[in-house]
Amino acid sequence: MNPTSKKNSQFLRHFLEAGIFLLLFFAVFGYIGSQMGLANMLNTIMNTSFRLLIDTVFYIMGITVLSGALGSLLVEFHVVDMLERVLRPLMRPVYNLPGVSALGGILTFLSDNPAIISLAKDRKFCRYFKKYQLVSLTNFGTAFGMGLVVIIFMASKGYASGALVGLFGALCGSIISTRLMQRFTLKRYPEMDSAVDLEGTEHVEAEEKKENAFLRMLNAILDGGKTGVDLGIAIIPGVLIISTAVMMLTNGPGADGAFNGDAFEGVGLLPALADKVDFLFKWLFGFEDSRLIAFPITTLGAVGAALGLVPNFAEQGILDGNAVAVFTAMGMCWSGFLSTHTAMLDSLGYRKLISQAIGAHAIGGLIAGVIAHWLFVLVSMIF
């Protein structure tokens, strides 16, 4: 192909892409605007984003600061090391992973998904793994991302028991996702059943700290709190953009049945679609209101954004212990994997396995939600 033809072909592709984007863009906003009115639509977008920022993001940031400080203390005073040793005997039979991988689960539970990647690039850490086991850490670590934040957030809303049931569901989902990822990987690339190539991996020896216990505690609290602030800031785009979009597609008009441009108004498209198969969501997850399906959908992109939906559900009176159990299970297990798996696998140098990782994790998250629901039903019957 000569340079002119190649340039023309590229222009046509770009032109087609731009046309499709504009078509979808105007179709979505044209539909919403036709239902709400252009002025009301714009006011609702801005008012909802503002309310989410003030009422939800800063609240979540407060939790991330405190949980970050707690997590840093647990690392500083070797509680994490102790937990890793306790959990080590379970890792091989349950996850088919070396014992040291328990450390990755703990760190992602205390922080977020990408914490597992810093470990996977450590020569001392990854020497215990075969290649297929190393790439499955993306699924294993993602299943615990922001776990502490999710549980504390749900407990603060008065649903601690539901959150603990959801934690068990997330653990089950993590096992399924990790095992499926290993199976998918070996089936497509049998040669990955070999030791990890350590060339190019990085390892930095941590220097033993010389400060006294008080200074170590103070530094750990401040450093962990700063990490919490960074995490709180990082979730702002997801909460404001994704949650606003999902709420406008989930909620209905104002209390008077009309659109006024107030926060949290919407066109109710997602519940209308979910109502077509509401029996499925009710049996699988026990959702009594189709609007609740917005949480798992949002979790696909960012669990922080999904948490932004919970206060609104509570105000509408549709939040209960079962929903919290399912939310916690799917929120922890999925924790925005669609937006992180690609980057995580790319950083490990295994971009070719993205489809396997996403497929395995989608299945794991769905099963986590189902297990959480039926376990909550069982616990409710007993107690």
Side-chain angles (χ1 to χ4, degrees):
M1 182 180 293
N2 60 60
T4 302
S5 299
K6 185 176 181 180
K7 188 175 181 180
N8 289 336
S9 177
Q10 186 179 33
F11 172 78
L12 288 174
R13 285 198 305 270
H14 291 174
F15 185 83
L16 181 62
E17 184 176 288
I20 293 174
F21 169 78
L22 289 174
L23 180 64
L24 293 175
F25 180 85
F26 285 111
V28 171
F29 283 97
Y31 170 75
I32 297 175
S34 67
Q35 299 295 312
M36 303 179 68
L38 180 60
N40 289 331
M41 179 184 72
L42 295 176
N43 285 330
T44 295
I45 290 174
M46 292 183 287
N47 289 330
T48 301
S49 297
F50 178 76
R51 285 283 301 279
L52 286 171
L53 177 65
I54 300 301
D55 298 338
T56 301
V57 170
F58 288 149
Y59 182 79
I60 296 176
M61 184 181 291
I63 293 176
T64 60
V65 170
L66 295 176
S67 61
L70 174 61
S72 186
L73 280 174
L74 295 178
V75 172
E76 178 64 33
F77 289 98
H78 306 293
V79 177
V80 167
D81 294 336
M82 181 191 71
L83 291 174
E84 188 266 334
R85 289 182 179 273
V86 171
L87 296 173
R88 185 178 294 177
L90 299 175
M91 298 310 297
R92 182 70 67 177
V94 175
Y95 289 98
N96 189 30
L97 289 172
V100 293
S101 57
L103 178 60
I106 296 171
L107 291 181
T108 53
F109 179 81
L110 297 175
S111 55
D112 202 357
N113 307 346
I116 198 76
I117 300 303
S118 61
L119 285 175
K121 288 189 173 183
D122 188 308
R123 179 185 297 269
K124 185 178 179 181
F125 180 81
C126 66
R127 67 183 179 183
Y128 295 98
F129 294 80
K130 292 186 176 181
K131 291 180 180 179
Y132 77 93
Q133 293 175 323
L134 186 68
V135 296
S136 72
L137 284 178
T138 56
N139 294 59
F140 173 72
T142 302
F144 299 97
M146 286 185 70
L148 183 61
V149 173
V150 173
I151 290 174
I152 293 177
F153 182 86
M154 296 301 187
S156 70
K157 299 299 180 183
Y159 295 99
S161 59
L164 292 177
V165 171
L167 173 61
F168 179 81
L171 289 171
C172 295
S174 70
I175 297 170
I176 294 167
S177 175
T178 304
R179 288 280 193 166
L180 281 177
M181 178 58 179
Q182 293 171 356
R183 182 181 179 88
F184 292 163
T185 301
L186 284 177
K187 185 176 181 179
R188 185 167 182 179
Y189 303 101
E191 68 275 10
M192 293 189 70
D193 189 12
S194 60
V196 173
D197 182 6
L198 298 180
E199 184 179 355
T201 56
E202 300 173 358
H203 173 60
V204 179
E205 287 288 345
E207 297 182 359
E208 190 67 28
K209 297 186 177 180
K210 306 296 184 181
E211 295 91 348
N212 58 49
F214 175 76
L215 287 177
R216 288 170 59 198
M217 180 182 70
L218 185 62
N219 287 332
I221 291 174
L222 295 177
D223 292 341
K226 182 180 178 182
T227 301
V229 172
D230 294 338
L231 181 58
I233 292 175
I235 68 172
I236 290 178
V239 173
L240 267 57
I241 298 172
I242 299 176
S243 292
T244 297
V246 171
M247 284 183 175
M248 292 187 69
L249 294 173
T250 303
N251 296 338
D256 58 356
F259 294 108
N260 305 303
D262 296 333
F264 308 127
E265 291 183 352
V267 296
L269 178 61
L270 290 181
L273 296 176
D275 283 339
K276 305 296 183 182
V277 289
D278 62 331
F279 65 93
L280 181 62
F281 297 125
K282 187 171 183 178
W283 188 86
L284 290 176
F285 307 130
F287 288 165
E288 296 295 337
D289 193 297
S290 57
R291 288 173 290 181
L292 295 172
I293 197 63
F295 187 97
I297 292 174
T298 308
T299 297
L300 293 170
V303 68
L307 292 178
L309 303 174
V310 174
N312 189 250
F313 290 154
E315 290 180 7
Q316 295 173 349
I318 61 176
L319 189 69
D320 56 20
N322 176 77
V324 168
V326 176
F327 287 174
T328 303
M330 301 185 76
M332 277 185 59
C333 195
W334 277 351
S335 56
F337 77 97
L338 286 183
S339 60
T340 59
H341 266 195
T342 301
M344 292 167 73
L345 282 166
D346 189 42
S347 66
L348 287 176
Y350 291 100
R351 185 186 298 179
K352 62 185 180 182
L353 294 171
I354 290 174
S355 59
Q356 285 83 359
I358 290 177
H361 214 66
I363 295 171
L366 286 172
I367 296 178
V370 174
I371 291 175
H373 162 53
W374 288 108
L375 180 60
F376 185 85
V377 171
L378 178 62
V379 170
S380 299
M381 292 174 60
I382 295 175
F383 298 100

